Amino acid sequence: MKNTALLVVDVQNALVQAQPFEIEKVISNIKRLITTCREHSVEVVYIQHNDEIGDELEPNTEAWEIHSEISPNANETVINKHFNSSFKDTNLKNYLDSKGIDQLIITGLQTEYCIDTTCKVAFEYGYKLIIPEKTNTTFDNGNMLAPDLYTYYNTNIFKGRFGIVEDIEVTIERIKA
């Protein structure tokens, strides 16, 4: 998949340890995608959320670190952000453009916040988007249960409007082709 990058958004210890919906399956699927991308020279870019001092994702704390099961290699790019969008006030767009990337595989946390915003901004910038099933997740929020939020966003918002939502096996085959 030439001109493609895998984005791994906010898969940080504090969020993983809080046990969002189907987190074990999501981590396993993201790990498979990372391995496949590395084996086929597809760029893997990590997005790491920075909160303020004293907050849950305070920089340079154990809670803030990218989850060890999918941590970046030394040569992979990590971009820090302060907003739901992976693009706002970061160098992500410039980085992707400098690599000639025009298609993104988007994974991570949380479905209705950072994944949703990142998908919509990437779409507006003209990137083609692939959102593999069971590679993003979220929490119950008081109004909706996490499984309903996941299904609603992936089926009603992302799919066919902003990108392709497909079985992870299809995405893996795309990467290998």
Side-chain angles (χ1 to χ4, degrees):
M1 290 182 74
K2 195 173 184 178
N3 304 328
T4 299
L6 171 65
L7 292 188
V8 181
V9 180
D10 297 353
V11 185
Q12 293 166 258
N13 287 331
L15 298 174
V16 171
Q17 290 164 1
Q19 293 294 298
F21 172 61
E22 292 191 334
I23 190 60
E24 293 83 12
K25 178 182 279 291
V26 169
I27 294 290
S28 175
N29 285 341
I30 293 172
K31 189 175 182 178
R32 288 181 62 211
L33 285 171
I34 291 168
T35 299
T36 305
C37 285
R38 288 173 178 164
E39 290 170 352
H40 292 86
S41 301
V42 172
E43 187 89 15
V44 179
V45 179
Y46 291 81
I47 309 298
Q48 188 172 29
H49 192 86
N50 291 352
D51 274 340
E52 300 298 321
I53 293 174
D55 288 339
E56 180 178 47
L57 297 175
E58 176 183 337
N60 305 310
T61 63
E62 190 272 331
W64 167 84
E65 291 175 6
I66 294 169
H67 188 63
S68 62
E69 284 188 56
I70 57 144
S71 60
N73 286 341
N75 64 334
E76 290 172 328
T77 300
V78 177
I79 293 177
N80 291 284
K81 69 177 181 64
H82 296 277
F83 300 98
N84 286 342
S85 173
S86 297
F87 292 92
K88 182 169 174 53
D89 297 342
T90 71
N91 69 339
L92 178 58
K93 184 174 185 329
N94 289 337
Y95 179 79
L96 296 172
D97 291 350
S98 76
K99 298 285 187 174
I101 292 168
D102 63 9
Q103 180 168 257
L104 300 174
I105 302 167
I106 299 180
T107 67
L109 291 155
Q110 286 178 241
T111 303
E112 76 277 26
Y113 295 112
C114 299
I115 300 303
D116 179 57
T117 307
T118 297
C119 283
K120 290 173 178 173
V121 173
F123 175 82
E124 291 209 348
Y125 279 140
Y127 295 101
K128 294 179 219 103
L129 305 179
I130 297 172
I131 303 104
E133 293 173 346
K134 303 295 182 183
T135 63
N136 66 80
T137 188
T138 193
F139 301 91
D140 295 348
N141 72 6
N143 294 311
M144 290 179 77
L145 299 176
D148 296 331
L149 281 163
Y150 169 84
T151 300
Y152 179 77
Y153 275 85
N154 282 272
T155 304
N156 298 354
I157 303 296
F158 306 150
K159 187 176 188 175
R161 294 175 193 244
F162 297 99
I164 297 168
V165 177
E166 63 187 13
D167 186 280
I168 187 172
E169 300 305 328
V170 174
T171 306
I172 287 173
E173 288 308 311
R174 283 180 190 269
I175 295 166
K176 290 179 177 180

